[in-house]
Amino acid sequence: MHPLYKRIQEEIRQQIDGGALRPGDMVPSEKALATRYNVSQITSKNALNGLVEEGLLVRFRGRGTFVKQTAAPAPAAEDEEIVSVALILPTMKTKVDQRLLDALEKYASEASYELLIRITRESQDEETRALERFRERGVRGFIVFPVEQETYNDTILRLSLDRVPLVLVDRFLKEIRTYSVSSDNVGGTEAMISALLDEGHRNILYLSTEIANTVTEERAKGYEAAYMKQGLPIDKAHWCLLPLATIAEGRALDEIVDFLRQRKEATAIFAANAELARYAWQALERLQREGELGESGALPVLAAFDDPDLPGVPYVRQREDEIGRHAIKLLSEQLKGAYEPRRVVVPVHLHTEGTRLSGS
């Protein structure tokens, strides 16, 4: 079965091929398509953006989306330059992804930028192709949320070295000066671990992907900082660092079950991202069914970085709207000719209301 956005695209192509939509005709809006197909506006936006990238449709800000023709409808102001910027995201699986896309689209629209979107589905090869194709098409600036890999894409490095307007989201380059926006990963993790320590937890398990980029590195530092501030020893035997291949191959749940089975002394678990938190939740459910949760039989407290959409789970909440606002602001600065690379760190906050932090 095709994804919903593909279905929308196929039916629009059929209408164009069959003559129901002719060159110059306006196609239904994102809102109208979302209502017609009972999908979110993000889905309908992705459908239209994909057809724009293929060259079947053309968008004019404030006017709508049209079937492309040899002489396309003129913009509202003939002397107004339309600046195209590309947004490249690895996934759209989480609430964070969706809120970030919404914020970036909103602030790009306010800046009168035409935002072209590509989702790479965590493929570095697809990320490379997207960057190269957008650059060939004359896209003026790039906002890139890099895929989760051990090394950064060489194409991203070249863009930065060539001083192409570029903002990295969520990660930054250590060795090369560039513009980036990310959440306070160290502070957010430290605050949550400290809150658990204040509740009397000492054996707090740490679940993360392998320390392979600036995000995983900073969140690990946050865990260590919380323990060091309270003068407590850090036991790395309580860390479960999963290789990216383990997750990609669908083996994460079994690995986490085995890890928890061997550490029944733990009273709390911190997952460094929402996906791992959901795996930990499933692992705890399995161990509870099998009666393997230690002498007390009580479930360890589960906390996470980002909302795992699980009842009663406290989490570190990122401010996606602020990330989006800063990213567009930094990109605009470069598009206007300035070049002062820097990293913006956006504060986070703990969502603990109505959740469980204590082991009681």
Side-chain angles (χ1 to χ4, degrees):
M1 180 178 294
H2 290 308
L4 291 173
Y5 79 94
K6 288 283 190 184
R7 178 186 160 201
I8 297 172
Q9 290 177 338
E10 288 174 2
E11 293 194 18
I12 290 176
R13 287 192 196 97
Q14 289 172 5
Q15 291 174 32
I16 294 173
D17 292 339
L21 283 174
R22 296 172 297 177
D25 284 351
M26 179 185 287
V27 302
S29 67
E30 295 164 6
K31 184 175 182 180
L33 289 170
T35 301
R36 178 184 301 176
Y37 293 95
N38 194 27
V39 296
S40 69
Q41 279 193 233
I42 290 177
T43 298
S44 58
K45 178 190 291 292
N46 286 339
L48 292 180
N49 283 339
L51 294 175
V52 169
E53 289 180 21
E54 290 179 22
L56 288 177
L57 305 180
V58 61
R59 309 189 85 164
F60 293 99
R61 189 166 303 283
R63 298 192 63 192
T65 305
F66 300 81
V67 179
K68 194 168 184 179
Q69 58 179 358
T70 304
E78 292 185 4
D79 59 348
E80 180 182 350
E81 179 186 11
I82 296 178
V83 176
S84 295
V85 299
L87 169 62
I88 300 175
L89 298 163
T91 70
M92 281 297 296
K93 294 189 297 187
T94 70
K95 289 183 177 180
V96 173
D97 299 327
Q98 294 162 12
R99 289 192 290 250
L100 179 61
L101 174 57
D102 183 69
L104 288 165
E105 198 283 332
K106 177 177 72 173
Y107 290 111
S109 178
E110 290 180 3
S112 297
Y113 296 149
E114 178 188 34
L115 190 65
L116 305 177
I117 302 168
R118 177 64 57 84
I119 299 172
T120 62
R121 291 166 182 79
E122 289 289 5
S123 165
Q124 197 168 79
D125 288 340
E126 181 58 31
E127 185 178 75
T128 297
R129 284 192 291 270
L131 289 165
E132 291 175 348
R133 287 171 183 169
F134 280 135
R135 197 170 186 190
E136 288 170 0
R137 292 177 54 192
V139 166
R140 295 274 304 280
F142 295 83
I143 299 173
V144 183
F145 191 135
V147 300
E148 192 168 7
Q149 296 288 340
E150 294 183 18
T151 58
Y152 284 101
N153 194 318
D154 286 343
T155 308
I156 293 177
L157 299 178
R158 286 200 304 273
L159 289 176
S160 183
L161 292 171
D162 291 344
R163 295 194 176 187
V164 173
L166 167 70
V167 178
L168 297 182
V169 172
D170 193 55
R171 296 168 200 163
F172 60 95
L173 303 177
K174 290 183 179 180
E175 300 82 8
I176 300 174
R177 295 179 67 234
T178 191
Y179 287 83
S180 69
V181 183
S182 57
S183 291
D184 185 2
N185 295 301
V186 175
T189 304
E190 180 184 341
M192 183 61 80
I193 299 298
S194 295
L196 292 169
L197 291 172
D198 289 343
E199 290 291 337
H201 299 285
R202 290 297 178 265
N203 296 319
I204 304 172
L205 303 183
Y206 184 69
L207 301 183
S208 174
T209 54
E210 55 194 342
I211 311 300
N213 54 52
T214 55
V215 174
T216 50
E217 182 179 319
E218 288 190 327
R219 292 180 188 176
K221 286 181 179 178
Y223 178 103
E224 293 174 333
Y227 270 81
M228 288 190 291
K229 279 193 175 180
Q230 298 201 20
L232 297 171
I234 299 169
D235 186 355
K236 291 295 181 73
H238 286 157
W239 287 32
C240 178
L241 305 180
L242 295 171
L244 296 174
T246 297
I247 298 173
E249 294 166 7
R251 295 185 284 113
L253 177 58
D254 289 337
E255 291 283 339
I256 292 173
V257 167
D258 289 342
F259 177 76
L260 297 182
R261 189 176 278 134
Q262 298 171 36
R263 289 160 180 81
K264 296 180 180 179
E265 74 280 6
T267 60
I269 303 167
F270 179 79
N273 63 48
E275 182 180 22
L276 290 178
R278 290 191 289 271
Y279 282 131
W281 180 275
Q282 295 171 40
L284 289 172
E285 287 184 327
R286 181 188 297 184
L287 292 173
Q288 186 178 42
R289 288 194 304 270
E290 298 171 358
E292 295 190 54
L293 285 176
E295 295 179 2
S296 68
L299 283 169
V301 170
L302 176 61
F305 204 109
D306 289 333
D307 182 5
D309 200 20
L310 295 168
V313 174
Y315 60 90
V316 180
R317 170 70 191 270
Q318 299 192 64
R319 302 176 185 268
E320 296 89 358
D321 192 80
E322 278 296 284
I323 294 172
R325 184 177 69 83
H326 281 291
I328 295 299
K329 181 179 178 181
L330 293 178
L331 191 67
S332 295
E333 177 181 304
Q334 297 171 76
L335 289 167
K336 293 174 182 175
Y339 188 74
E340 298 178 11
R342 59 192 180 276
R343 181 189 180 198
V344 174
V345 178
V346 178
V348 297
H349 71 271
L350 300 189
H351 177 83
T352 57
E353 185 177 351
T355 64
R356 172 177 169 247
L357 279 172
S358 69
S360 58

